[in-house]
Amino acid sequence: MDLEQLFEQNKEQSLHGRYITLDAIEPLLNRLNTNHELRIIGKSVLDKPIYKYQIGTGKIKIFLWSQMHGNEGTTTKALFDFLNLLHSGSELANQFLAEFTFCCLPMLNPDGAKLHTRANANNVDLNRDSQDLTQPESKVLRATFEDFKPDFCYNLHDQRTIFGVADTGKPATVSFLAPAFNEAREINPSRLKAINIIAGMNAVLQQYIPGQVGRFDDSFNINCIGDTFQYLGVPTILFEAGHFQGDYLREETRKYIFMALITSFKIISENDIVVSKLDDYLSISQNKVVFYDFICKNIKINYDGIEIITSFALQYKEELIDDSICFTAYIAKIGELDNYFGHFEFDGKGAFYSDNFNNIPKLDQKADFYIENNIKFVNGSMIL
């Protein structure tokens, strides 16, 4: 099976970039609603509809939800790519529809999506509300879980560009986790099923992004929805869509999420989850905060009359301006950076730093500066 070709055939062309809102997906849901698969099952804080899309007639029940955090739309794009596949009429689509029933909440947090924020309109992180259920969106998710009674749960997220695969210097383009179900982080049969699926997805993704798959920290927190569902006995998999080299719009990453979804369903279909692959799972290196978007090394500054050589790092902030996401680079760290990597790195080789202010980099300052007065950087990018 050619997964790349499958992705290109089913990619939802209308969804692109980092800003994925309810306005963008509602027409797609209505288009895909060919046999009454679509229902409004609740409302957000700001009274926006929360949709459930259910398709398939199979005995194996798969529950997927995306954009629990409103600014994490990469997996939403991949989810619609997958839904397009299910409507393709292909042999694979027919197989999946016969073997599975898919229940999808493609945008749990439409208010956060509109504002491009992690939290909902009440400034609550829905992924810390699985026990108290204080928010309408949390209640919708839990009610759907209890009504649908899934065999597997897919918790779909994005992660920031700061994450790398251990200390390898490679970005964590895709990361997974089989959440713990107790404080001791033990392995029971339910968690082992999730572990085995992740091991299989990793084996396939290594063919496309070698060394760029990470394993998320499994510290137990019952307030997190994945931990709660695992605690309740349902194998749960956390997906984290991360950074691929140069792919700030996450268009490459969505492809690998799509590939992982397809692979996971093939694994379940073939019942390739009965033999323990715990060692393979544990061999996936853990996520680690080791990246900045840009590192400028070995630049000279005049600090209180003394010339010193230092380094500094920049990080992009995603800022919503006129319904568009702008990546604005700010100085995030100054000084020792030996244990960090940059998605882009520049060696100043002792050249002088200057800017329009004090000619020394300052934290939280916008990244517009010169190196030796002849190399200009605007918003963290070199202007040739």
Side-chain angles (χ1 to χ4, degrees):
M1 181 168 52
D2 188 333
L3 288 173
E4 287 199 276
Q5 184 181 52
L6 204 61
F7 170 74
E8 293 300 332
Q9 290 171 345
N10 295 285
K11 180 179 179 180
E12 178 49 58
Q13 300 293 340
S14 70
L15 296 180
H16 183 269
R18 298 286 286 146
Y19 190 47
I20 306 299
T21 66
L22 187 63
D23 289 342
I25 70 166
E26 276 185 318
L28 304 179
L29 289 170
N30 289 324
R31 186 194 75 198
L32 294 168
N33 188 27
T34 57
N35 194 28
H36 307 292
E37 298 96 343
L38 186 65
R39 285 182 55 204
I40 294 174
I41 55 171
K43 295 291 184 71
S44 69
V45 171
L46 298 181
D47 206 36
K48 296 298 182 183
I50 298 173
Y51 288 98
K52 179 182 78 170
Y53 185 84
Q54 186 166 316
I55 187 170
T57 58
K59 294 181 179 179
I60 305 171
K61 296 181 178 181
I62 309 289
F63 184 32
L64 312 95
W65 64 95
S66 186
Q67 273 179 282
M68 167 178 276
H69 295 142
N71 59 353
E72 299 179 359
T74 305
T75 53
T76 305
K77 294 187 292 187
L79 183 55
F80 276 94
D81 301 334
F82 173 67
L83 293 178
N84 283 346
L85 167 70
L86 292 181
H87 281 266
S88 68
S90 67
E91 182 179 343
L92 180 62
N94 292 334
Q95 176 192 344
F96 282 168
L97 291 171
E99 294 182 353
F100 297 99
T101 299
F102 298 99
C103 176
C104 310
L105 308 187
M107 186 172 287
L108 183 64
N109 182 5
D111 301 341
K114 182 66 175 177
L115 298 171
H116 199 64
T117 57
R118 177 181 175 90
N120 74 345
N122 285 333
N123 201 31
V124 172
D125 184 341
L126 300 178
N127 203 27
R128 299 296 183 272
D129 192 40
S130 70
Q131 293 299 301
D132 295 337
L133 299 176
T134 64
Q135 302 304 300
E137 300 93 344
S138 307
K139 293 173 183 177
V140 166
L141 180 64
R142 184 60 176 267
T144 306
F145 171 84
E146 293 178 349
D147 178 66
F148 185 59
K149 297 179 176 57
D151 297 298
F152 297 91
C153 288
Y154 284 55
N155 189 9
L156 305 174
H157 288 263
D158 278 44
Q159 65 181 7
R160 297 172 60 197
T161 60
I162 60 176
F163 288 102
V165 177
D167 293 307
T168 64
K170 292 189 175 185
T173 301
V174 178
S175 295
F176 298 111
L177 174 67
F181 71 93
N182 62 7
E183 290 282 356
R185 297 185 284 186
E186 295 173 309
I187 310 296
N188 62 357
S190 175
R191 189 182 183 199
L192 185 59
K193 287 181 180 180
I195 283 170
N196 289 345
I197 293 169
I198 291 171
M201 291 189 293
N202 175 60
V204 170
L205 288 180
Q206 290 297 333
Q207 301 172 38
Y208 299 92
I209 44 172
Q212 292 181 215
V213 179
R215 177 165 52 90
F216 214 76
D217 176 70
D218 68 345
S219 297
F220 180 70
N221 184 349
I222 193 62
N223 296 308
C224 294
I225 193 66
D227 301 54
T228 291
F229 288 169
Q230 197 85 274
Y231 169 80
L232 292 172
V234 179
T236 300
I237 301 171
L238 171 69
F239 283 63
E240 294 280 356
H243 185 68
F244 182 85
Q245 296 89 331
D247 180 35
Y248 281 90
L249 298 181
R250 302 275 170 97
E251 291 302 305
E252 277 293 308
T253 302
R254 82 188 274 184
K255 175 173 69 175
Y256 303 123
I257 297 296
F258 172 87
M259 290 178 172
L261 290 172
I262 298 298
T263 300
S264 73
F265 302 139
K266 290 289 288 183
I267 290 169
I268 297 171
S269 171
E270 295 165 4
N271 200 29
D272 192 17
I273 54 175
V274 293
V275 177
S276 174
K277 296 181 181 177
L278 179 59
D279 289 343
D280 293 339
Y281 174 75
L282 294 176
S283 72
I284 304 172
S285 297
Q286 282 200 294
N287 268 14
K288 190 174 181 181
V289 179
V290 290
F291 268 97
Y292 287 98
D293 289 315
F294 174 91
I295 290 180
C296 189
K297 300 178 178 179
N298 302 316
I299 58 106
K300 187 184 295 183
I301 62 173
N302 190 315
Y303 188 75
D304 286 344
I306 301 173
E307 291 183 357
I308 63 172
I309 300 294
T310 189
S311 300
F312 62 91
L314 314 177
Q315 197 69 28
Y316 285 118
K317 291 183 181 179
E318 296 177 20
E319 298 177 335
L320 181 61
I321 301 174
D322 295 331
D323 289 332
S324 181
I325 301 302
C326 297
F327 292 86
T328 307
Y330 294 88
I331 295 175
K333 184 176 176 62
I334 304 167
E336 178 59 54
L337 289 164
D338 284 352
N339 296 321
Y340 290 92
F341 305 94
H343 293 299
F344 176 81
E345 296 187 357
F346 178 83
D347 189 345
K349 299 179 180 179
F352 264 110
Y353 169 97
S354 63
D355 58 36
N356 294 327
F357 302 99
N358 299 307
N359 290 333
I360 59 171
K362 290 190 174 182
L363 291 177
D364 298 321
Q365 179 177 297
K366 285 190 176 181
D368 300 329
F369 56 90
Y370 294 87
I371 301 296
E372 208 63 54
N373 291 322
N374 59 4
I375 302 176
K376 183 178 182 181
F377 287 82
V378 175
N379 196 32
S381 296
M382 188 186 304
I383 306 298
L384 300 176

